[in-house]
Each structure stands twice: as C-alpha cells, then as structure tokens.
C-alpha cells in the first residue's frame, strides 16, 4: 500500500536502526510503498518538540530502492508530522 513521507529528509537505511547503512533521503510528501514488514521492537526518537516511539518500516521508493525508514516518518495520509524541528 501507498504511504506518504511526513518528515522532510527522512533517511532510508539498508537495515533498521540509526546504525543501518544510509541509502538515501526522502522529501516531505514523497510517495513510498509499504513492503508489509515492521520491526518487532520500537525506538524512541526525539523529533524536536516531541518524542516518537515507533518501529522501523520496510518501504520501496518510486526509484525502486528498498530499505527501512522510521515509522514516525511515514503515514497513510499525506500530511506533515507535527513536532519536528527543521
């Protein structure tokens, strides 16, 4: 299913977590495709004015890159995530 990027410069990683190899960045409102996989555990990340506790989500970009993004950075609705400092 289709998801939208809610955080500008959302990082796509080869493996879930902050230590995963960086494959690229996505722009706010980019469309990606959910690959039906999420991590079993969640990760707390400070977004600026709020903290999120979300799993990593496996996605495929329009260019065909398959990787993992932080779950707080994607949503079914095309909207900007609140609480993120630029």
């Amino acid at each position: 299913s289709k998801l939208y990027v809610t955080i500008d410069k959302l990082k796509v990683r080869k493996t879930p977590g902050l230590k995963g190899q960086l494959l690229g960045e996505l722009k706010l409102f980019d469309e990606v495709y959910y690959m039906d996989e999420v991590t079993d555990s969640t990760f707390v990340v400070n977004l600026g004015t709020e903290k999120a506790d979300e799993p990593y989500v496996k996605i495929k970009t329009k260019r065909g890159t398959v990787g993992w993004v932080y779950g707080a950075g994607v949503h079914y609705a095309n909207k900007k995530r609140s609480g993120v400092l630029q």
Side-chain angles (χ1 to χ4, degrees):
S1 57
K2 193 183 295 184
L3 297 174
Y4 296 96
V5 174
T6 61
I7 298 174
D8 195 33
K9 298 180 182 173
L10 181 66
K11 292 176 178 29
V12 180
R13 298 186 182 275
K14 188 172 186 175
T15 56
L18 294 175
K19 294 183 180 178
Q21 177 187 343
L22 188 62
L23 299 177
E25 285 185 345
L26 298 169
K27 295 179 187 159
L28 185 63
F29 307 131
D30 276 355
E31 290 180 10
V32 297
Y33 298 94
Y34 174 55
M35 301 296 288
D36 294 321
E37 278 189 66
V38 296
T39 55
D40 291 333
S41 56
T42 60
F43 302 81
V44 176
V45 172
N46 186 342
L47 299 175
T49 61
E50 68 179 48
K51 288 185 179 177
D53 187 7
E54 301 277 342
Y56 274 78
V57 176
K58 192 170 190 179
I59 56 96
K60 182 176 182 180
T61 68
K62 283 193 158 189
R63 290 186 171 182
T65 301
V66 175
W68 294 85
V69 296
Y70 188 57
V74 290
H75 196 272
Y76 291 106
N78 193 3
K79 65 177 186 176
K80 185 176 188 240
R81 172 130 185 143
S82 63
V84 178
L85 293 180
Q86 294 300 327

